[in-house]
Amino acid sequence: MNPSARLLSVVTATVILYQSALVAPAINMALPVEPAAVMLRYIWPIFFALTGLLGLVGVVVARKQRLGVIVNGTTLAGMAICFILVPTINHAKDTDAMGLWNVLHMVTVGITFAVLVLHLVYSFRWHQRGTT
């Protein structure tokens, strides 16, 4: 595998961890509910677009390696789904359709978590093969 593909995968995992473990919780802790909601509605679509773009670049960088294309193609598709769901999630919250909001929110969390795990495994797997 080329080192650029591994580095890009590590960057993707880092972006996901940073946004999910640091940025979003910090906003919820530092701001009152309404301003936090406004801020989160602003940054999550950007996050999904950025992570999807990293997946697209990853497909190009890893184009000669099947696993890299699968991992990054999954990232691109998953983040596109999350991005497309954002308006529906926001509408569900605005109309107090909390059941729908919970389901869709968990879908985006699950997709994002799966993408994170894929990139961590992909990076680790390459590292193991590169040291033998």
Side-chain angles (χ1 to χ4, degrees):
M1 177 198 311
N2 94 44
S4 298
R6 178 174 183 245
L7 179 61
L8 190 58
S9 198
V10 170
V11 167
T12 302
T14 302
V15 167
I16 293 170
L17 286 170
Y18 180 73
Q19 170 76 7
S20 303
L22 296 174
V23 174
I27 289 170
N28 281 321
M29 289 172 43
L31 297 175
V33 173
E34 289 302 316
V38 170
M39 183 68 179
L40 291 170
R41 283 182 181 214
Y42 178 77
I43 64 170
W44 279 111
I46 295 169
F47 164 78
F48 293 137
L50 172 64
T51 309
L53 180 62
L54 288 170
L56 177 61
V57 172
V59 167
V60 173
V61 168
R63 69 187 172 277
K64 294 181 181 179
Q65 193 215 7
R66 185 171 183 244
L67 183 59
V69 171
I70 290 169
V71 168
N72 287 291
T74 301
T75 300
L76 176 59
M79 294 301 104
I81 290 166
C82 292
F83 186 87
I84 290 167
L85 287 176
V86 167
T88 306
I89 291 169
N90 291 341
H91 181 71
K93 186 75 162 180
D94 293 343
T95 59
D96 286 329
M98 294 312 291
L100 178 60
W101 183 88
N102 284 325
V103 167
L104 294 178
H105 177 257
M106 290 312 298
V107 166
T108 62
V109 168
I111 290 171
T112 303
F113 182 73
V115 166
L116 172 63
V117 169
L118 281 174
H119 282 279
L120 291 173
V121 169
Y122 179 65
S123 297
F124 180 73
R125 179 180 179 272
W126 177 85
H127 179 69
Q128 288 297 91
R129 287 194 172 192
T131 59
T132 57

